[in-house]
Amino acid sequence: MFRKILLAVDGSDHSEIAADYAAGMAKAFGATVFLVHAYPHTSDLLGYEDFEKLVARRKAAGQAILNKVRKRLAPKDMTILEDLLEGPEAEAILAAAEAQQVDLVVMGTRGLGAIEGMVFGSVSRKVAHHARCPVMLTR
Ligand code: ATP
Ligand code: MG
């Protein structure tokens, strides 16, 4: 039923839990995991003298988030593809889901922001609203 599962991570404990669910689903269905993180769009850095350096730093921080989750999933012995995306987050995740034709998106209900009182984060809400495939919001 699920051949390719997009796992979206933001470095939060919530997305670590999502990673475990994605791994469980991938194992159960023999699916490939497509691991993605979207770093913030770099347009706000335009005009800074050290633009290139700031962009590189942003990408490195994003890559570190991917690496951490990849390490967590390594012992689970499954095929993992990954992509470092440029934000805005929800749009980037939705575009990647379309481009890779995934059958399932797995992500946390909340993330790094976690302002109390909100059930959904803005990224999970938008992705769940617009995705064309099932979305699993973990908690
Ligand atoms: P908000 O960001 O609106 O303050 P929040 O941080 O609590 O709220 P979301 O950002 O919606 O909630 O995070 C929910 C889930 O979405 C995360 O657990 C993660 O799986 C995914 N996610 C959030 N940000 C990103 C990102 N930049 N790249 C990839 N996935 C992300
Ligand atoms: Mg967030």
Side-chain angles (χ1 to χ4, degrees), residues 10 111-113 123:
D10 66 348
L112 274 183
V123 180

Side-chain angles (χ1 to χ4, degrees), residues 9-137:
V9 297
D10 66 348
S12 66
D13 291 346
H14 298 280
S15 73
E16 298 277 304
I17 292 168
D20 292 342
Y21 275 101
M25 294 295 281
K27 259 263 172 313
F29 288 95
T32 298
V33 171
F34 177 42
L35 170 64
V36 303
H37 170 71
Y39 60 85
H41 198 277
T42 54
S43 52
D44 60 314
L45 304 175
L46 280 169
Y48 281 92
E49 207 176 295
D50 45 357
F51 175 78
E52 299 292 340
K53 213 173 170 186
L54 293 170
V55 170
R57 198 179 296 165
R58 208 168 266 193
K59 286 185 180 172
Q63 187 60 49
I65 289 171
L66 289 174
N67 293 348
K68 189 169 167 227
V69 175
R70 192 182 259 277
K71 229 180 230 167
R72 187 182 181 94
L73 298 185
K76 313 249 186 197
D77 184 32
M78 58 187 59
T79 308
I80 302 173
L81 309 171
E82 76 173 34
D83 205 358
L84 181 59
L85 312 169
E86 182 172 21
E89 301 102 318
E91 287 76 359
I93 293 165
L94 287 163
E98 283 293 309
Q100 289 285 326
Q101 301 203 317
V102 305
D103 339 274
L104 176 69
V105 172
V106 179
M107 61 200 301
T109 306
R110 298 302 314 268
L112 274 183
I115 297 168
E116 260 189 72
M118 301 273 284
V119 177
F120 300 102
S122 58
V123 180
S124 60
R125 187 177 49 75
K126 269 193 211 162
V127 172
H129 193 267
H130 295 288
R132 297 203 203 181
C133 66
V135 178
M136 177 189 271
L137 299 183

